[in-house]
Amino acid sequence: EVQLVESGGVVVQPGGSLRLSCAASGFTFDDYAMHWVRQAPGKGLEWVSLITLDGGSTYYADSVRGRFTISRDSSKNSLYLQMNSLRVEDTALYYCTKDRDSGVYSDLLDYWGQGTLVTVSS
Amino acid sequence: DIVMTQSPDSLAVSLGERATINCKSSQSVLYSSNNKNYLAWYQQKPGQPPKLLIYWASTRESGVPDRFSGSGSGTDFTLTITSLQAEDVAVYYCQQYYRTPATFGQGTKLEIK
């Protein structure tokens, strides 16, 4: 059974930093690209970032590029999101998601974690 | 970025009746080389993460009831739920995966009338 378990969400002040983690199990982690998607309270879904299966390429939404860094550790079957220079508008539930296709990423998301809540507030 | 626009924003349908949700993309998501539409539908129930329902515009994900169907091509798509059940109350999102960044519609809230 595929499981994605996020952690690391807390209340942080504007300008602060935070690192989210996602522990993956139930599939061959090294075979799939991984994504972060966020959802502000009461709002819709916003794709945040993508990392290819080998970690060789990363992509970001314009809203977070230059502030967020996605990474992965195959030895720990884990995905990460380093978040710097946080803004109030980054407040959201952050989901770790798995790309449906093994190999080349498709941006089709077949498994989602329960999410971890990041609140940016003074 | 490709902009996805859903209609309506909310919908109330009686149990056993049909629900129809529309999704329009700002540019075609049909890839001519394989004749596939890079369009997916997700269901998000209250307090839960989204669940993939349909991809390639009309292919149901494993385990999804056949009362859910998708149709359309190019820029205009439809999610249809025939014979609405109480457990179908949710917000439904369309998403294009034709081009990174993946983008979602604003969501359609489906309720029971």
Side-chain angles (χ1 to χ4, degrees):
Chain A
E1 178 194 6
V2 172
Q3 287 197 341
L4 300 170
V5 180
E6 303 94 337
S7 61
V10 292
V11 178
V12 61
Q13 290 190 339
S17 297
L18 198 55
R19 189 198 199 203
L20 304 183
S21 300
C22 171
S25 61
F27 64 102
T28 305
F29 185 69
D30 290 352
D31 286 352
Y32 294 89
M34 297 292 294
H35 305 250
W36 288 98
V37 175
R38 69 184 180 182
Q39 186 169 35
K43 301 298 184 182
L45 302 169
E46 180 188 15
W47 176 85
V48 172
S49 185
L50 150 69
I51 186 167
T52 53
L53 58 90
D54 61 357
S57 295
T58 57
Y59 303 87
Y60 299 93
D62 288 345
S63 58
V64 307
R65 187 175 293 114
R67 301 187 299 122
F68 290 10
T69 302
I70 190 171
S71 62
R72 62 193 295 162
D73 184 339
S74 60
S75 69
K76 297 181 179 179
N77 280 3
S78 291
L79 177 71
Y80 305 101
L81 187 66
Q82 177 67 43
M83 310 166 70
N84 297 332
S85 302
L86 282 161
R87 304 167 180 168
V88 171
E89 54 266 34
D90 294 320
T91 295
L93 189 63
Y94 283 74
Y95 291 106
C96 168
T97 71
K98 172 186 164 293
D99 202 276
R100 190 179 189 278
D101 292 349
S102 61
V104 177
Y105 68 90
S106 66
D107 284 345
L108 182 59
L109 311 171
D110 64 347
Y111 285 93
W112 300 58
Q114 291 295 315
T116 188
L117 182 62
V118 173
T119 303
V120 184
S121 174
S122 55
Chain B
D1 297 359
I2 299 175
V3 176
M4 307 300 292
T5 304
Q6 292 180 226
S7 61
D9 290 334
S10 63
L11 182 62
V13 175
S14 301
L15 290 173
E17 296 300 305
R18 176 188 301 257
T20 301
I21 299 170
N22 301 301
C23 175
K24 190 175 185 67
S25 57
S26 61
Q27 57 188 271
S28 176
V29 297
L30 173 63
Y31 192 39
S32 56
S33 67
N34 60 9
N35 201 36
K36 288 189 173 183
N37 288 282
Y38 286 61
L39 189 284
W41 289 96
Y42 297 83
Q43 175 193 61
Q44 187 176 31
K45 295 182 178 181
Q48 296 185 19
K51 172 188 174 183
L52 177 63
L53 290 179
I54 287 172
Y55 57 97
W56 300 135
S58 61
T59 301
R60 273 187 302 275
E61 179 72 319
S62 176
V64 173
D66 59 8
R67 64 179 181 273
F68 292 90
S69 64
S71 62
S73 185
T75 61
D76 293 278
F77 301 91
T78 300
L79 174 69
T80 301
I81 309 170
T82 57
S83 189
L84 188 73
Q85 305 297 303
E87 62 263 32
D88 300 334
V89 168
V91 178
Y92 292 84
Y93 295 93
C94 62
Q95 178 225 346
Q96 67 78 21
Y97 51 104
Y98 180 86
R99 178 177 300 140
T100 302
T103 47
F104 296 88
Q106 79 276 18
T108 295
K109 186 175 184 179
L110 177 59
E111 299 174 312
I112 303 297
K113 185 186 292 183

